[in-house]
Amino acid sequence: MNEDHTSKRYAYVTALNIIITVAEFIGGIFSGSLALLSDAVHNLSDVGAVILSFVAHLISRRSRNQNKTFGYQRAETLAAFTNGIILIIISLILFVEAIERFWQPEHIKGGIMLIVAIVGLLANFISMIAMQKDAKKNLNVRSTFVHMFSDALSSVTVVIGAIFIYFWNVTWLDPLLTMLVSLFVLYEAYKITMKAANILMESNPNIDLKQVNKIVLSFPEIKNIHHVHLWRYSDNCIMLDAHVNVDKDLTAGEFEKVTQKIGKELKDKLGINHINFQAECERGRNDDMIAPGYKREN
């Protein structure tokens, strides 16, 4: 990922979202549209989200040191998790407000709503395109992209609602569209939050342990693999730590060559790009891959 280009994209998206937010707040107040005001609030949160993502992006580039021996890559995961929680809260608030608007409808000026919604749609679409390139490679950038995508979708629904309100005075469509967008954003935010949470909890990144066992034991020098820990440290790093049983006459040099071959197989077939094996002779020879945990006594 080109850091200079990524930084520029963050700057462009931040500036665009500030403009959108101001325009939609003013337009929402004068038109009386809840959908427009909700979109403005959503965009306001995006300004903070983009800044948070950008700061995390810069921190993640820092080198390892004595205090952070793993480095700072998880700063972006923390930012993605935070952005996901923010999106969930905003979605729920907007959903409740939309329900209340059904029972207390207000007059909406469709003309103002339509003009501001179109401006917001164009700006949101540009922001979404700007962040799309790196969204599949980086969870932090993806969280920002989802913010932008949900804004673009929200703007589309606001434009549709504005057309119906302006020409046919269908005011109930305003809160209905707000509810639909809120549900979509909630779904996307949940996926990002859970993925970030799984990384932070060092969960297995959907890799079949049976395949790990099959690959490792395909090498005759390895008799058993146990005490396995498999986790995704960041978007680009999947780690495996395990104890392996070998014959007592296997030399350190031979063991190193074997583990290098195993590492290549695990990387090529399962995407595991960092392994650490502890060699043992007898201890754990009959143990399973996952050792039973110990419950804390009260």
Side-chain angles (χ1 to χ4, degrees):
M1 193 190 306
N2 189 298
E3 183 177 354
D4 182 58
H5 288 172
T6 301
S7 300
K8 287 180 179 178
R9 284 194 284 271
Y10 273 119
Y12 294 150
V13 170
T14 302
L16 277 172
N17 272 272
I18 291 174
I19 295 172
I20 298 168
T21 301
V22 173
E24 290 190 334
F25 263 122
I26 295 174
I29 292 171
F30 280 99
S31 68
S33 169
L34 176 62
L36 208 52
L37 283 173
S38 67
D39 205 32
V41 173
H42 191 180
N43 276 294
L44 180 61
S45 72
D46 286 345
V47 174
V50 173
I51 293 174
L52 176 64
S53 295
F54 180 45
V55 171
H57 168 73
L58 295 178
I59 293 174
S60 71
R61 298 292 175 176
R62 296 176 63 182
S63 301
R64 300 174 184 175
N65 55 46
Q66 292 183 357
N67 292 323
K68 299 290 186 297
T69 56
F70 273 102
Y72 291 82
Q73 293 182 49
R74 280 199 174 175
E76 292 198 287
T77 306
L78 283 169
F81 180 80
T82 304
N83 278 334
I85 294 296
I86 291 172
L87 276 170
I88 289 173
I89 293 172
I90 290 174
S91 299
L92 293 174
I93 291 173
L94 293 179
F95 189 85
V96 172
E97 289 183 356
I99 293 175
E100 292 176 351
R101 180 61 71 90
F102 268 118
W103 306 112
Q104 296 178 340
E106 296 183 12
H107 176 70
I108 299 172
K109 298 178 181 177
I112 297 176
M113 179 182 174
L114 179 59
I115 294 172
V116 176
I118 291 174
V119 173
L121 173 60
L122 293 175
N124 280 321
F125 184 76
I126 294 172
S127 297
M128 183 185 72
I129 296 300
M131 302 308 299
Q132 192 228 0
K133 183 177 180 181
D134 299 322
K136 293 182 179 180
K137 305 175 185 176
N138 185 292
L139 185 61
N140 183 37
V141 176
R142 177 163 176 75
S143 72
T144 304
F145 172 76
V146 170
H147 272 280
M148 302 302 105
F149 182 75
S150 62
D151 281 347
L153 180 63
S154 179
S155 294
V156 169
T157 60
V158 172
V159 169
I160 294 173
I163 292 173
F164 276 85
I165 291 169
Y166 181 73
F167 289 103
W168 298 287
N169 196 32
V170 187
T171 55
W172 56 265
L173 198 58
D174 185 64
L176 176 62
L177 293 174
T178 302
M179 292 173 66
L180 293 176
V181 172
S182 297
L183 290 174
F184 172 79
V185 175
L186 183 64
Y187 173 71
E188 291 295 323
Y190 173 79
K191 290 195 297 183
I192 288 177
T193 304
M194 290 306 299
K195 184 175 181 179
N198 283 331
I199 293 176
L200 295 174
M201 289 293 293
E202 299 186 346
S203 304
N204 180 345
N206 295 323
I207 292 177
D208 187 356
L209 289 180
K210 291 181 180 179
Q211 289 298 315
V212 174
N213 186 69
K214 182 179 179 181
I215 291 172
V216 174
L217 295 185
S218 67
F219 292 83
E221 295 86 350
I222 308 299
K223 308 305 178 183
N224 186 41
I225 177 172
H226 60 100
H227 248 85
V228 170
H229 298 283
L230 178 64
W231 73 100
R232 181 184 293 276
Y233 174 71
S234 65
D235 286 320
N236 303 315
C237 183
I238 297 177
M239 309 184 78
L240 171 66
D241 181 271
H243 296 197
V244 291
N245 295 106
V246 298
D247 291 333
K248 60 182 179 180
D249 58 348
L250 188 71
T251 67
E254 291 171 338
F255 180 69
E256 181 180 353
K257 290 180 180 179
V258 172
T259 55
Q260 286 177 345
K261 293 178 181 178
I262 295 174
K264 186 177 185 304
E265 285 280 306
L266 291 171
K267 182 178 181 180
D268 292 343
K269 295 181 179 180
L270 301 177
I272 301 171
N273 47 17
H274 182 96
I275 66 169
N276 178 46
F277 286 158
Q278 177 177 316
E280 297 176 338
C281 295
E282 297 300 327
R283 187 177 68 170
R285 182 178 282 270
N286 298 316
D287 288 352
D288 295 329
M289 293 185 72
I290 304 299
Y294 295 95
K295 294 183 179 180
R296 180 181 299 176
E297 296 182 1
N298 295 327

